[in-house]
Amino acid sequence: MERTLSIIKPDGVARGLIGEVVRRFENAGLKIVAMKMVHMSKKEAEGFYAVHRGRGFYDSLTDSMSSGPCVVMILEGPGAIAQTREMMGATNPKDAAPGTIRADYAFSIEQNIVHGSDAPETAAFEIGYFFNALEICG
Ligand code: GDP
């Protein structure tokens, strides 16, 4: 069993896509073991995306991640990290495979609807960034 952190980003929440994204994950057999809505401050968004500090898009990415509420959730299943990434599609929606969340809904590389952890170590960091043990119903 593996766990990953997924976020429906502020653009996804604003566009009314919470239900659609959750439905896709549930239909694919991923189990939601924790979920909440969070409106990150700029500082909290900067901490979450600390690996991208120094990149040209860091300031604008953290502005958009703190622009409104997100839905953060922990998804569990065998190979949950890769499965979630596959369902999300490539970072740039122009490169995302047909039928993926980003191909179907995202308008730009920055407003790309969803986040999903990319490796076990990042999943552990990202899960711990948002949830404590009592909030995880595994
Ligand atoms: P992800 O794992 O597919 O979300 O991609 P990354 O971890 O590489 O990047 C994190 C987020 O930063 C992406 O989801 C995008 O929203 C944003 N991002 C990544 N690369 C770029 C870029 O070149 N330009 C802009 N504006 N945003 C980017």
Side-chain angles (χ1 to χ4, degrees), residues 1-2 10 12 14 18 26-27 38 40 42 50 52 58 69 109:
M1 248 343 140
E2 191 172 66
I18 297 172
E26 288 189 319
N27 280 0
V38 174
M40 282 188 274
K42 173 85 171 165
H52 291 309
Y58 181 67
I109 190 164

Side-chain angles (χ1 to χ4, degrees), residues 9 49 52 57 61 85 88 91 102 109-110 112 115-116:
K9 297 183 176 186
Y49 274 126
H52 291 309
F57 58 85
L61 171 65
R85 300 277 304 174
M88 285 162 38
T91 308
R102 286 167 167 170
I109 190 164
E110 202 169 283
N112 62 1
H115 166 84

Side-chain angles (χ1 to χ4, degrees), residues 40-136:
M40 282 188 274
S41 65
K42 173 85 171 165
K43 281 228 163 326
E44 288 161 346
E46 286 171 350
F48 180 72
Y49 274 126
V51 294
H52 291 309
R53 190 166 277 138
R55 310 276 289 272
F57 58 85
Y58 181 67
D59 191 46
S60 127
L61 171 65
T62 52
D63 271 349
S64 76
M65 287 301 283
S66 58
S67 67
C70 292
V71 170
V72 292
M73 65 192 117
I74 302 173
L75 303 172
E76 184 181 86
I81 294 172
Q83 186 181 1
T84 302
R85 300 277 304 174
E86 196 175 319
M87 292 180 69
M88 285 162 38
T91 308
N92 189 337
K94 293 193 187 97
D95 304 325
T100 60
I101 295 167
R102 286 167 167 170
D104 288 350
Y105 295 108
F107 294 140
S108 72
I109 190 164
E110 202 169 283
Q111 312 277 299
N112 62 1
I113 312 289
V114 277
H115 166 84
S117 311
D118 62 2
E121 310 77 58
T122 42
F125 165 76
E126 292 175 358
I127 287 170
Y129 199 77
F130 289 107
F131 294 99
N132 65 44
L134 284 176
E135 295 172 307
I136 302 173

